[in-house]
Amino acid sequence: MILTDDERRMRDGADGPAVAAAMDLLIRYAAALDAERLCTVRNVAGTTTQPSPLKARLVAEGGWDRAFSVINLDADETLPIPPMAVPTCQLQQGFGPDAAGVVPYPAEFVALQSDAEVFYGGRGVSVLATCTPYQVGNLPVRGEHCAWMESSAVVYANAVLGARTNCEGTASTGAASLTGRVPCWGNHHDEHRRGTHLVRVDTPVATFLDWGLLGYFTGDAVQEARPVVTGDHALPELTDLKHFGAAAASSGGVEMYHVPGVTPEAPTTEAAFGGAGVPEPIVYGAAERRATYERLNDQGGSEDVDFVLLGCPHASLDQIRDAARALDGRRLHPGTELWIMAPRALAAVAERSGYTAVIERAGGRVLTDSCPAMSRAAPEGTRVFATDSAKQAHYLPAILGIEAWFGSTAECVDAAVTGRWRGELR
């Protein structure tokens, strides 16, 4: 390892024992990755406030200093935790007070999390509490080195914003928040950001549903590689790119993709591949679109829908508005619940804009901070759910043992109102 003078000082304890432990962790991590240096980062997105039985036990033993020392620094002893050295935000966490009486989630976890927010907020952590920090103010600039967790946030940061981050973990982001360092490898280097596979779209991709299907196909096709997407697609919006990246990171492990003319490092297809030549394409046509849709819908047998989930990754304001318009003047089926997951900051705007009132009049709820997959919580008795998120259709059946239907937002709203799944690929 090649360390700078400042890094050696931190390692040797000049900034206190917690920072020294953080540097020790990062040096061990870098050695395991065969990284020669550490990158200087000024933007960390991790998780500290998310409650769990382990955290509850550690807090009982030695407060939040102990919880952070053990979980975020891999330290055996309890260390006094100083303020964060660089801007740090909390990603999605457990459900908060707004979910009381709606979500079957332990009240003691809500209280533990509220206590954590006080501790970490006092040390400089911005509690954004969302998997989409880029929607609520955390927007790293192109070329900026970051240390982010959360697969859908990481792929958005790399591919849409042009920032540079690998998919980090709880410990590495914890260490990065106290040092402003992370191992310099993978997506931090130019050569590991260039395209590896060409995905040629031969069937129209224009809707939110289409971008989810294309993302799910692409991730499965390339796994952890870096696709370059060309062909018959419309100019994507923020929600389309959010949906595409989350789906690709779920079916595969995509952390970086290029859409020539849209994503920052790909003004052309040739530029996306770094001048290395364009490979033979992986074709996404009508047959592949149909097969992807059927794969996402092969987890549903019953057409009776108990639960509809919108907003994964967390919904944009436009998505909340569209759901409100689809629900205006309608009522949910008495046996079906509708949750729309959103960042708390955007939920506040949705309430001020009148969208929340429309959704609640219909019987639905806008909830913040978490999601059923993160907190392992759905309405009691749920057997079948419907979603417009390829990511949730991928994960939630395995996590909660329930059936899934995947379709458009309009089809999901229809299922919430009728209690029946009537979606079909058009």
Side-chain angles (χ1 to χ4, degrees):
M1 279 294 298
I2 301 170
L3 299 179
T4 66
D5 290 343
D6 283 345
E7 289 162 358
R8 283 193 291 271
R9 285 182 59 261
M10 287 190 281
R11 179 200 61 188
D12 295 339
D15 294 331
V19 175
M23 280 300 299
D24 175 72
L25 184 153
L26 292 171
I27 290 168
R28 287 184 283 125
Y29 180 29
L33 296 168
D34 201 25
E36 294 182 350
R37 298 177 183 273
L38 300 176
C39 289
T40 298
V41 298
R42 60 181 187 181
N43 189 317
V44 177
T47 178
T48 54
T49 60
Q50 169 79 17
S52 69
L54 172 60
K55 283 186 180 175
R57 177 173 65 80
L58 291 170
V59 170
E61 291 174 359
W64 286 103
D65 286 314
R66 176 147 184 77
F68 190 92
S69 297
V70 173
I71 296 173
N72 297 87
L73 296 180
D74 190 35
D76 295 328
E77 60 202 290
T78 301
L79 305 169
I81 305 304
M84 304 297 109
V86 295
T88 300
C89 79
Q90 165 69 36
L91 293 163
Q92 72 271 41
Q93 52 184 20
F95 283 101
D98 65 328
V102 179
V103 180
Y105 190 69
E108 60 268 26
F109 275 13
V110 177
L112 183 67
Q113 182 169 279
S114 296
D115 190 49
E117 291 178 359
V118 173
F119 178 87
Y120 289 110
R123 282 156 180 76
V125 175
S126 299
V127 186
L128 300 183
T130 176
C131 54
T132 60
Y134 50 85
Q135 292 196 115
V136 291
N138 188 347
L139 281 165
V141 299
R142 178 177 177 180
E144 181 178 355
H145 294 279
C146 304
W148 279 25
M149 291 177 64
E150 166 53 41
S151 61
S152 69
V154 165
V155 70
Y156 194 95
N158 282 317
V160 182
L161 302 178
R164 299 184 173 218
T165 181
N166 297 303
C167 199
E168 298 293 346
T170 302
S172 60
T173 52
S177 67
L178 294 183
T179 63
R181 302 292 192 277
V182 78
C184 203
W185 71 291
N187 296 319
H188 293 286
H189 294 299
D190 289 345
E191 60 268 28
H192 295 144
R193 299 177 64 82
R194 296 169 186 147
T196 57
H197 294 69
L198 179 67
V199 176
R200 192 184 74 208
V201 179
D202 284 356
T203 190
V205 170
T207 66
F208 182 71
L209 172 75
D210 282 328
W211 282 101
L213 289 172
L214 177 58
Y216 201 77
F217 168 85
T218 299
D220 184 56
V222 308
Q223 291 301 303
E224 296 182 355
R226 299 178 294 276
V228 178
V229 180
T230 65
D232 189 5
H233 63 77
L235 183 67
E237 299 178 355
L238 178 155
T239 53
D240 299 324
L241 294 170
K242 175 166 67 81
H243 198 33
F244 173 88
S250 299
S251 60
V254 174
E255 295 181 4
M256 176 76 187
Y257 65 83
H258 298 284
V259 180
V262 175
T263 54
E265 294 163 65
T268 64
T269 300
E270 292 71 22
F273 287 102
V278 179
E280 287 297 310
I282 299 169
V283 175
Y284 177 76
E288 289 77 17
R289 178 175 181 264
R290 165 62 64 178
T292 304
Y293 178 84
E294 291 177 352
R295 180 180 172 191
L296 281 165
N297 281 288
D298 68 0
Q299 304 166 87
S302 172
E303 294 179 350
D304 295 321
V305 175
D306 311 302
F307 174 41
V308 174
L309 174 65
L310 306 178
C312 176
H314 277 174
S316 67
L317 195 61
D318 288 347
Q319 289 176 280
I320 300 172
R321 179 203 62 208
D322 291 346
R325 288 176 175 173
L327 284 165
D328 196 10
R330 306 170 80 183
R331 285 288 303 172
L332 300 192
H333 184 270
T336 306
E337 291 195 40
L338 167 66
W339 296 354
I340 302 174
M341 309 308 308
R344 194 181 300 192
L346 294 188
V349 178
E351 183 173 7
R352 294 182 70 177
S353 302
Y355 307 148
T356 304
V358 173
I359 293 165
E360 290 182 347
R361 276 198 302 270
R365 293 297 296 261
V366 177
L367 298 171
T368 64
D369 298 352
S370 193
C371 74
M374 171 61 67
S375 294
R376 300 175 180 268
E380 292 182 0
T382 295
R383 296 176 298 105
V384 182
F385 91 109
T387 183
D388 61 358
S389 165
K391 180 175 182 176
Q392 286 284 3
H394 179 87
Y395 285 120
L396 206 56
I399 291 172
L400 295 182
I402 58 180
E403 297 181 11
W405 292 108
F406 168 78
S408 68
T409 305
E411 288 170 338
C412 289
V413 170
D414 178 75
V417 170
T418 65
R420 300 279 292 173
W421 180 253
R422 302 189 295 192
E424 60 179 276
L425 187 64
R426 294 176 174 81

